[in-house]
Amino acid sequence: MAPVTDVSEEMYALVERMYPLCRSITGDGVRATLDIVGEYIPLQVHEVPTGTQVLDWTVPQEWNIRDAYIADSTGRRVVDFAASSLHVLGYSVPVSATMPLSELRAHLHTLPDHPSWVPYRTSYYKPDWGFCLAQATLDALPDGDYEVCVDSTLADGHLTYAEYVVPGQVADEVIVSCHVCHPSLANDNLAGIAVATYLARSLAEQPTYYTYRFLFAPGTIGAITWLARNAERVDRVRHGLVLACAGDPGHLTYKQSRRGDAEIDRVLRHVLAASGRPHRVTEFTPYGYDERQFCSPGFNLGVGSLTRTPYAGYPEYHTSADDLDFVSPAAMADTLAVCREAFAVLDRNRRYVNLSPYGEPQLGRRGLYDALGGRSDTKQAQMAMLWVLNLSDGEHSLLDVAERSGLPFDTVAAAADALRGADLVKE
């Protein structure tokens, strides 16, 4: 795992700042989160009105909440939204009533197998209300009447998402997507937001070949809205990566795109294997995060998903135990490092044509061997030149060369640069 650095501590501090906010698929919590991210990278924020048709979906009403609680006969709040945004069922309609515990139970959600944890539950598209609490708290409640209050609004408004674009040499795009709809869940997906933010900052500090588009949107409906609003330019998207669960202690997991052989799939497989990190590569399934929207058959984009422990793969998932103690600066730094390594490969992966294809060109008289004299990997660099020359037929990429030769991609790319400088290959 990557060592803790100043950047890793900064990412953790960003997660800490966002953690208390109550987020949902719409509302002021999303805007407040994007305001914070906007302090780190300049965001273009989009507001899409309620009722807008987006593919087979419709942008829902906007939900905002000010307070919610359950109080006993003495007025003591036994469940309090102010203590944690997880305590209220997401998208709960307004409620103000007094009812016996026997009636209230139908609106209470707990985790009996983890009696001290609070679950995360939502009801986005079915009007309902409810509270989430620890099973131990529920077990301690005596029978009797309880005051129930959900001070929320569900009204026409907007769905909010944001983009940040790092312009490249070409208009072809790489999408990096993360969801901003989860409330106080540190790994899912505040760590993903933090890694995406710092990845964007890193890419903006250097020239890139591709244009990189970072998308901060609510899960499912946000990606669908973006696709609906950008259908005419989706053909620019060459590669993509969905970031989630980026800060837990588990090993990295890459979920391949629907295609399975998209360039992003090959790059992540290569980078993870070459790094020596413990990791898993899994096949695509139409369940999980927003890769399933980008990989729906009508779009079929080359978009994979990078997580540490994947969707629903750890007991703390969608519970109060996914807190600030569950994520670490080191884990986020490791996720960020893999993203940077992968995009460095993606950005430099080209196909070349050998301009002297009949026999092996004389590298010595061009000074290419002499230029390698001071390198500790001279033999490896020489082999990389020979491999690049041999496979530069316009059909093999540098990643093909690295995979077939077993040489590091950086060494292969450096060899290609040297050969291009000597007018022995061209793109």
Side-chain angles (χ1 to χ4, degrees), residues 170-243:
V170 297
D172 292 347
E173 291 187 359
V174 180
I175 284 183
V176 180
S177 174
C178 60
H179 57 279
V180 296
C181 53
H182 284 18
S184 299
L185 301 172
N187 194 44
D188 181 23
N189 184 46
L190 296 180
I193 297 172
V195 169
T197 299
Y198 275 81
L199 177 60
R201 291 181 69 168
S202 174
L203 290 171
E205 293 172 353
Q206 62 194 48
T208 61
Y209 177 74
Y210 288 111
T211 293
Y212 288 83
R213 182 176 300 274
F214 287 80
L215 179 61
F216 300 85
T220 305
I221 186 65
I224 286 171
T225 298
W226 186 88
L227 286 164
R229 288 164 56 89
N230 293 273
E232 77 288 347
R233 53 189 303 282
V234 164
D235 59 356
R236 295 186 194 173
V237 177
R238 294 291 178 262
H239 323 283
L241 192 64
V242 173
L243 286 173

Coordinates of all heavy atoms in Angstrom, one line a residue, residues 170-243:
V170 N -6.2 16.1 -27.6 CA -7.3 15.7 -28.5 C -8.7 15.8 -27.7 O -8.7 15.9 -26.5 CB -7.1 14.2 -28.9 CG1 -5.9 14.1 -29.8 CG2 -7.1 13.2 -27.8
A171 N -9.7 15.8 -28.5 CA -11.1 16.0 -27.9 C -11.6 14.6 -27.4 O -12.6 14.6 -26.6 CB -12.1 16.5 -28.9
D172 N -11.0 13.5 -27.8 CA -11.4 12.2 -27.2 C -11.3 12.3 -25.7 O -10.3 12.8 -25.2 CB -10.5 11.1 -27.8 CG -10.7 10.9 -29.3 OD1 -11.7 11.4 -29.8 OD2 -9.9 10.2 -29.9
E173 N -12.3 11.7 -25.0 CA -12.4 11.8 -23.6 C -12.2 10.6 -22.8 O -12.6 9.5 -23.2 CB -13.8 12.4 -23.2 CG -13.9 13.9 -23.7 CD -15.2 14.5 -23.2 OE1 -16.0 13.8 -22.5 OE2 -15.5 15.7 -23.5
V174 N -11.7 10.8 -21.6 CA -11.7 9.8 -20.5 C -12.7 10.3 -19.4 O -12.5 11.4 -19.0 CB -10.3 9.5 -20.0 CG1 -10.4 8.4 -18.9 CG2 -9.4 9.1 -21.1
I175 N -13.7 9.5 -19.1 CA -14.6 9.9 -18.0 C -14.2 9.3 -16.7 O -13.9 8.1 -16.7 CB -16.0 9.5 -18.4 CG1 -16.6 10.4 -19.4 CG2 -16.9 9.5 -17.1 CD1 -18.1 10.1 -19.7
V176 N -14.2 10.1 -15.7 CA -14.0 9.6 -14.3 C -15.2 10.0 -13.5 O -15.5 11.2 -13.4 CB -12.7 10.1 -13.6 CG1 -12.6 9.6 -12.2 CG2 -11.5 9.9 -14.5
S177 N -16.0 9.0 -13.0 CA -17.3 9.3 -12.4 C -17.3 8.8 -10.9 O -16.7 7.7 -10.6 CB -18.3 8.5 -13.2 OG -19.6 8.6 -12.5
C178 N -17.9 9.6 -10.1 CA -18.2 9.1 -8.7 C -19.5 9.7 -8.3 O -20.0 10.7 -8.8 CB -17.1 9.6 -7.8 SG -16.8 11.4 -7.7
H179 N -20.2 9.0 -7.3 CA -21.5 9.4 -6.9 C -21.4 10.3 -5.6 O -20.6 10.1 -4.8 CB -22.5 8.2 -6.7 CG -22.0 7.2 -5.8 ND1 -21.1 6.2 -6.1 CD2 -22.4 6.9 -4.5 CE1 -20.9 5.4 -5.1 NE2 -21.7 5.8 -4.1
V180 N -22.3 11.3 -5.6 CA -22.3 12.2 -4.5 C -23.7 12.2 -3.7 O -24.0 13.2 -3.1 CB -22.1 13.7 -5.0 CG1 -20.7 13.7 -5.6 CG2 -23.1 14.1 -6.1
C181 N -24.3 11.1 -3.7 CA -25.7 11.0 -3.2 C -25.7 10.4 -1.8 O -26.8 10.4 -1.1 CB -26.6 10.3 -4.1 SG -26.0 8.7 -4.6
H182 N -24.7 9.8 -1.3 CA -24.7 9.1 0.0 C -24.4 10.0 1.1 O -23.6 10.9 1.0 CB -23.7 7.9 0.0 CG -24.1 6.7 -0.8 ND1 -25.1 6.8 -1.8 CD2 -23.7 5.5 -0.8 CE1 -25.2 5.6 -2.3 NE2 -24.4 4.8 -1.8
P183 N -25.1 9.9 2.2 CA -24.9 10.7 3.4 C -23.7 10.4 4.1 O -22.6 10.2 3.5 CB -26.2 10.5 4.2 CG -26.7 9.1 3.8 CD -26.2 8.9 2.4
S184 N -23.7 10.2 5.4 CA -22.5 10.0 6.2 C -22.0 8.6 6.1 O -22.0 7.8 7.0 CB -22.8 10.3 7.7 OG -23.2 11.7 7.8
L185 N -21.4 8.3 4.9 CA -20.7 7.0 4.6 C -19.4 7.4 4.1 O -19.2 7.9 3.0 CB -21.5 6.2 3.6 CG -23.0 5.8 4.1 CD1 -23.7 5.2 2.9 CD2 -23.0 4.9 5.3
A186 N -18.3 7.1 4.9 CA -17.0 7.6 4.5 C -16.4 6.9 3.3 O -15.7 7.5 2.5 CB -16.1 7.4 5.7
N187 N -16.5 5.5 3.3 CA -15.9 4.8 2.2 C -16.8 4.8 0.9 O -16.3 5.0 -0.2 CB -15.7 3.3 2.6 CG -14.8 2.6 1.6 OD1 -13.8 3.1 1.2 ND2 -15.2 1.4 1.3
D188 N -18.1 4.7 1.1 CA -19.1 4.7 0.0 C -20.0 5.9 0.1 O -21.0 5.9 0.8 CB -19.9 3.4 0.1 CG -20.9 3.3 -1.0 OD1 -20.7 4.0 -2.1 OD2 -21.9 2.6 -0.9
N189 N -19.6 7.1 -0.4 CA -18.5 7.2 -1.4 C -17.7 8.4 -1.3 O -17.2 9.0 -2.2 CB -19.1 7.1 -2.8 CG -18.1 7.1 -3.9 OD1 -17.2 6.3 -3.8 ND2 -18.2 7.9 -4.9
L190 N -17.5 8.9 0.0 CA -16.7 10.1 0.2 C -15.3 9.9 -0.2 O -14.6 10.8 -0.7 CB -16.8 10.6 1.6 CG -18.3 11.0 2.1 CD1 -18.3 11.4 3.5 CD2 -18.8 12.1 1.2
A191 N -14.7 8.7 0.1 CA -13.4 8.4 -0.3 C -13.2 8.5 -1.9 O -12.2 8.9 -2.4 CB -12.9 7.0 0.2
G192 N -14.2 8.0 -2.6 CA -14.2 8.1 -4.0 C -14.2 9.5 -4.5 O -13.5 9.9 -5.5
I193 N -15.0 10.4 -3.9 CA -15.0 11.8 -4.3 C -13.6 12.4 -4.0 O -13.1 13.2 -4.8 CB -16.1 12.5 -3.5 CG1 -17.5 12.0 -3.8 CG2 -16.0 14.0 -3.7 CD1 -18.6 12.6 -2.9
A194 N -13.0 12.1 -2.9 CA -11.7 12.7 -2.6 C -10.6 12.2 -3.5 O -9.8 13.0 -4.0 CB -11.3 12.3 -1.1
V195 N -10.6 10.9 -3.9 CA -9.6 10.4 -4.8 C -9.8 11.1 -6.2 O -8.9 11.5 -6.9 CB -9.7 8.9 -4.9 CG1 -8.9 8.4 -6.1 CG2 -9.2 8.3 -3.6
A196 N -11.1 11.2 -6.6 CA -11.4 11.8 -7.9 C -10.9 13.2 -7.9 O -10.4 13.7 -8.9 CB -12.9 11.7 -8.2
T197 N -11.2 13.9 -6.9 CA -10.8 15.3 -6.8 C -9.3 15.5 -6.9 O -8.8 16.4 -7.7 CB -11.2 15.9 -5.4 OG1 -12.7 15.9 -5.4 CG2 -10.8 17.4 -5.3
Y198 N -8.5 14.7 -6.2 CA -7.1 14.8 -6.2 C -6.5 14.2 -7.5 O -5.4 14.7 -7.9 CB -6.4 14.2 -5.0 CG -6.4 15.2 -3.8 CD1 -7.6 15.5 -3.1 CD2 -5.3 16.0 -3.6 CE1 -7.6 16.4 -2.1 CE2 -5.3 17.0 -2.6 CZ -6.5 17.2 -1.8 OH -6.5 18.2 -0.9
L199 N -7.1 13.3 -8.1 CA -6.7 12.8 -9.4 C -6.9 13.9 -10.4 O -6.0 14.1 -11.3 CB -7.5 11.6 -9.8 CG -7.3 11.0 -11.2 CD1 -5.8 10.5 -11.3 CD2 -8.2 9.8 -11.4
A200 N -8.0 14.6 -10.4 CA -8.2 15.7 -11.3 C -7.1 16.8 -11.1 O -6.6 17.3 -12.1 CB -9.6 16.3 -11.0
R201 N -6.8 17.1 -9.9 CA -5.8 18.1 -9.6 C -4.4 17.7 -10.2 O -3.7 18.5 -10.8 CB -5.6 18.4 -8.1 CG -6.8 19.1 -7.5 CD -6.7 19.3 -6.0 NE -5.7 20.3 -5.8 CZ -5.5 20.9 -4.6 NH1 -6.2 20.5 -3.6 NH2 -4.5 21.8 -4.4
S202 N -4.1 16.4 -10.0 CA -2.9 15.9 -10.5 C -2.8 16.0 -12.1 O -1.8 16.4 -12.6 CB -2.7 14.4 -10.1 OG -1.6 13.8 -10.7
L203 N -3.9 15.6 -12.7 CA -3.9 15.6 -14.2 C -3.8 17.0 -14.7 O -3.2 17.3 -15.8 CB -5.1 14.9 -14.7 CG -5.1 13.4 -14.5 CD1 -6.5 12.8 -14.9 CD2 -4.1 12.7 -15.4
A204 N -4.4 18.0 -14.0 CA -4.4 19.4 -14.4 C -3.0 20.0 -14.4 O -2.8 21.1 -15.0 CB -5.4 20.2 -13.6
E205 N -2.1 19.4 -13.6 CA -0.8 19.9 -13.5 C 0.2 19.5 -14.6 O 1.4 19.9 -14.6 CB -0.2 19.5 -12.1 CG -1.0 20.1 -10.9 CD -0.5 19.5 -9.6 OE1 0.3 18.6 -9.6 OE2 -1.0 20.1 -8.6
Q206 N -0.3 18.7 -15.5 CA 0.6 18.2 -16.6 C -0.1 18.2 -17.9 O -1.4 18.1 -17.9 CB 1.1 16.8 -16.2 CG -0.1 15.8 -16.1 CD 0.3 14.5 -15.4 OE1 0.9 14.5 -14.3 NE2 -0.1 13.4 -16.0
P207 N 0.6 18.2 -19.0 CA -0.1 18.1 -20.3 C -0.6 16.6 -20.5 O 0.1 15.7 -20.1 CB 1.0 18.4 -21.3 CG 2.3 18.1 -20.6 CD 2.1 18.4 -19.1
T208 N -1.8 16.5 -21.0 CA -2.3 15.2 -21.2 C -2.7 15.0 -22.7 O -3.0 16.0 -23.4 CB -3.6 14.9 -20.4 OG1 -4.6 15.9 -20.7 CG2 -3.2 15.0 -18.9
Y209 N -2.7 13.8 -23.1 CA -3.2 13.5 -24.5 C -4.7 13.5 -24.6 O -5.2 14.2 -25.4 CB -2.6 12.1 -25.0 CG -3.1 11.7 -26.3 CD1 -2.5 12.3 -27.5 CD2 -4.0 10.8 -26.5 CE1 -2.9 12.0 -28.8 CE2 -4.4 10.4 -27.8 CZ -3.9 11.0 -28.9 OH -4.3 10.6 -30.1
Y210 N -5.3 12.8 -23.7 CA -6.8 12.8 -23.7 C -7.3 14.0 -22.9 O -6.7 14.5 -22.1 CB -7.3 11.5 -23.1 CG -7.1 10.3 -24.0 CD1 -6.2 9.3 -23.6 CD2 -7.8 10.1 -25.1 CE1 -6.0 8.1 -24.4 CE2 -7.7 9.0 -25.9 CZ -6.8 8.0 -25.5 OH -6.6 6.9 -26.3
T211 N -8.6 14.3 -23.2 CA -9.3 15.2 -22.4 C -10.0 14.4 -21.3 O -10.6 13.4 -21.6 CB -10.4 15.9 -23.2 OG1 -9.7 16.8 -24.1 CG2 -11.3 16.7 -22.3
Y212 N -9.8 14.8 -20.0 CA -10.4 14.1 -18.9 C -11.6 14.8 -18.3 O -11.5 16.0 -17.9 CB -9.3 13.9 -17.8 CG -8.3 12.9 -18.2 CD1 -7.2 13.3 -19.0 CD2 -8.3 11.5 -17.9 CE1 -6.2 12.3 -19.5 CE2 -7.4 10.6 -18.3 CZ -6.3 11.0 -19.1 OH -5.4 10.1 -19.5
R213 N -12.7 14.1 -18.3 CA -14.0 14.7 -17.8 C -14.3 14.0 -16.4 O -14.6 12.8 -16.4 CB -15.1 14.6 -18.8 CG -16.4 15.2 -18.3 CD -17.5 15.1 -19.4 NE -17.0 15.8 -20.6 CZ -17.2 17.1 -20.9 NH1 -17.8 17.8 -20.0 NH2 -16.8 17.6 -22.0
F214 N -14.3 14.8 -15.4 CA -14.7 14.3 -14.1 C -16.2 14.6 -13.8 O -16.6 15.8 -13.9 CB -13.8 14.9 -13.0 CG -12.4 14.3 -13.0 CD1 -11.5 14.8 -13.9 CD2 -12.0 13.3 -12.2 CE1 -10.2 14.3 -14.0 CE2 -10.7 12.8 -12.2 CZ -9.8 13.3 -13.1
L215 N -16.9 13.6 -13.4 CA -18.3 13.7 -13.2 C -18.7 13.4 -11.8 O -18.4 12.3 -11.3 CB -19.1 12.8 -14.1 CG -20.6 12.7 -14.1 CD1 -21.2 14.1 -14.4 CD2 -21.2 11.7 -15.0
F216 N -19.3 14.4 -11.1 CA -19.7 14.3 -9.7 C -21.2 14.3 -9.7 O -21.8 15.4 -9.9 CB -19.1 15.4 -8.8 CG -17.6 15.4 -8.8 CD1 -16.9 16.1 -9.8 CD2 -16.9 14.8 -7.7 CE1 -15.5 16.1 -9.7 CE2 -15.5 14.8 -7.7 CZ -14.8 15.5 -8.7
A217 N -21.9 13.2 -9.6 CA -23.3 13.1 -9.8 C -24.0 12.1 -8.8 O -23.3 11.2 -8.4 CB -23.6 12.7 -11.2
P218 N -25.3 12.3 -8.5 CA -25.9 11.3 -7.7 C -26.0 9.9 -8.5 O -26.0 9.9 -9.7 CB -27.3 11.8 -7.5 CG -27.5 12.9 -8.6 CD -26.1 13.4 -8.9
G219 N -26.0 8.8 -7.7 CA -25.9 7.5 -8.3 C -27.2 7.2 -9.2 O -28.3 7.7 -8.9
T220 N -27.0 6.5 -10.2 CA -28.0 6.0 -11.1 C -28.7 7.2 -11.9 O -28.4 7.4 -13.0 CB -29.1 5.2 -10.4 OG1 -28.5 4.1 -9.7 CG2 -30.1 4.6 -11.4
I221 N -29.6 7.9 -11.2 CA -30.3 9.0 -11.9 C -29.3 10.1 -12.4 O -29.6 10.7 -13.4 CB -31.4 9.6 -11.0 CG1 -32.3 10.6 -11.7 CG2 -30.8 10.2 -9.7 CD1 -33.1 10.0 -12.9
G222 N -28.2 10.3 -11.7 CA -27.3 11.3 -12.1 C -26.5 10.9 -13.4 O -26.4 11.7 -14.3
A223 N -26.1 9.7 -13.4 CA -25.4 9.2 -14.7 C -26.3 9.1 -15.8 O -26.0 9.4 -17.0 CB -24.8 7.8 -14.4
I224 N -27.6 8.7 -15.6 CA -28.6 8.6 -16.6 C -28.9 10.0 -17.1 O -29.0 10.2 -18.4 CB -29.9 7.9 -16.1 CG1 -29.6 6.4 -16.0 CG2 -31.1 8.2 -17.0 CD1 -30.7 5.7 -15.3
T225 N -29.0 11.0 -16.2 CA -29.2 12.4 -16.7 C -28.1 12.9 -17.5 O -28.3 13.5 -18.6 CB -29.4 13.3 -15.4 OG1 -30.6 12.8 -14.7 CG2 -29.6 14.7 -15.8
W226 N -26.8 12.6 -17.1 CA -25.7 13.1 -17.9 C -25.7 12.4 -19.3 O -25.5 13.1 -20.3 CB -24.4 12.7 -17.2 CG -23.2 13.3 -17.9 CD1 -22.6 14.5 -17.7 CD2 -22.4 12.7 -18.9 NE1 -21.6 14.7 -18.6 CE2 -21.4 13.6 -19.3 CE3 -22.5 11.4 -19.5 CZ2 -20.5 13.3 -20.3 CZ3 -21.5 11.1 -20.5 CH2 -20.6 12.0 -20.9
L227 N -26.0 11.1 -19.3 CA -26.0 10.4 -20.6 C -27.1 11.0 -21.5 O -26.9 11.2 -22.7 CB -26.2 8.9 -20.4 CG -25.0 8.2 -19.9 CD1 -25.4 6.8 -19.4 CD2 -23.9 8.0 -21.0
A228 N -28.2 11.3 -20.9 CA -29.4 11.8 -21.7 C -29.0 13.2 -22.3 O -29.3 13.5 -23.4 CB -30.6 11.9 -20.9
R229 N -28.3 14.0 -21.5 CA -28.0 15.4 -21.9 C -26.8 15.5 -22.8 O -26.5 16.5 -23.3 CB -27.8 16.2 -20.6 CG -29.1 16.6 -19.9 CD -28.8 17.1 -18.5 NE -27.9 18.2 -18.4 CZ -28.3 19.5 -18.5 NH1 -29.6 19.8 -18.6 NH2 -27.5 20.5 -18.4
N230 N -26.0 14.4 -22.9 CA -24.8 14.4 -23.7 C -24.8 13.3 -24.7 O -23.7 12.9 -25.2 CB -23.6 14.2 -22.8 CG -23.4 15.4 -21.8 OD1 -22.7 16.4 -22.2 ND2 -24.0 15.4 -20.6
A231 N -26.0 12.8 -25.1 CA -26.1 11.7 -26.1 C -25.3 12.0 -27.4 O -24.7 11.1 -28.0 CB -27.5 11.4 -26.3
E232 N -25.3 13.2 -27.8 CA -24.7 13.6 -29.1 C -23.2 13.6 -29.1 O -22.6 13.6 -30.1 CB -25.3 14.9 -29.6 CG -24.6 16.2 -28.9 CD -25.1 16.4 -27.5 OE1 -26.1 15.7 -27.1 OE2 -24.5 17.2 -26.8
R233 N -22.6 13.6 -27.9 CA -21.2 13.6 -27.8 C -20.6 12.4 -27.0 O -19.4 12.4 -26.8 CB -20.8 14.9 -27.1 CG -21.4 15.2 -25.7 CD -21.1 16.6 -25.2 NE -19.7 16.8 -25.1 CZ -19.0 16.3 -24.1 NH1 -19.5 15.6 -23.1 NH2 -17.7 16.6 -24.0
V234 N -21.4 11.4 -26.8 CA -20.9 10.2 -26.1 C -19.9 9.5 -26.9 O -19.0 8.8 -26.4 CB -22.1 9.3 -25.7 CG1 -21.7 7.9 -25.4 CG2 -22.9 9.9 -24.6
D235 N -20.0 9.7 -28.2 CA -19.0 9.0 -29.1 C -17.6 9.5 -28.9 O -16.6 8.9 -29.4 CB -19.4 9.1 -30.6 CG -19.5 10.5 -31.1 OD1 -19.4 11.4 -30.3 OD2 -19.8 10.7 -32.3
R236 N -17.4 10.6 -28.2 CA -16.1 11.1 -27.9 C -15.4 10.3 -26.7 O -14.2 10.4 -26.5 CB -16.1 12.6 -27.5 CG -16.5 13.5 -28.5 CD -16.4 15.0 -28.0 NE -17.0 15.9 -28.8 CZ -17.2 17.2 -28.5 NH1 -16.7 17.7 -27.3 NH2 -17.8 18.1 -29.3
V237 N -16.3 9.6 -25.9 CA -15.8 8.9 -24.8 C -15.1 7.6 -25.2 O -15.7 6.7 -25.7 CB -16.9 8.6 -23.8 CG1 -16.4 7.8 -22.6 CG2 -17.6 9.8 -23.3
R238 N -13.8 7.6 -25.0 CA -13.0 6.5 -25.4 C -12.8 5.5 -24.3 O -12.7 4.3 -24.5 CB -11.6 7.0 -25.9 CG -11.7 7.8 -27.2 CD -12.1 6.9 -28.4 NE -12.2 7.6 -29.6 CZ -13.3 8.1 -30.1 NH1 -14.5 7.9 -29.4 NH2 -13.4 8.8 -31.2
H239 N -12.7 6.0 -23.1 CA -12.4 5.2 -21.9 C -13.1 5.8 -20.7 O -13.4 7.0 -20.7 CB -10.9 5.1 -21.6 CG -10.0 5.1 -22.8 ND1 -9.9 3.9 -23.6 CD2 -9.3 6.0 -23.5 CE1 -9.1 4.2 -24.6 NE2 -8.7 5.4 -24.6
G240 N -13.3 5.1 -19.6 CA -13.9 5.6 -18.4 C -13.6 4.7 -17.2 O -13.4 3.5 -17.3
L241 N -13.8 5.4 -16.1 CA -13.5 4.7 -14.8 C -14.5 5.2 -13.8 O -14.6 6.5 -13.6 CB -12.1 4.9 -14.3 CG -11.6 4.0 -13.2 CD1 -11.6 2.5 -13.6 CD2 -10.2 4.4 -12.8
V242 N -15.2 4.3 -13.1 CA -16.1 4.7 -12.0 C -15.3 4.4 -10.7 O -14.8 3.3 -10.5 CB -17.4 3.9 -12.0 CG1 -18.2 4.2 -10.8 CG2 -18.2 4.3 -13.3
L243 N -15.2 5.4 -9.8 CA -14.5 5.3 -8.6 C -15.5 5.2 -7.4 O -16.4 6.0 -7.3 CB -13.6 6.5 -8.3 CG -12.3 6.6 -9.2 CD1 -11.6 7.9 -8.9 CD2 -11.4 5.4 -8.8

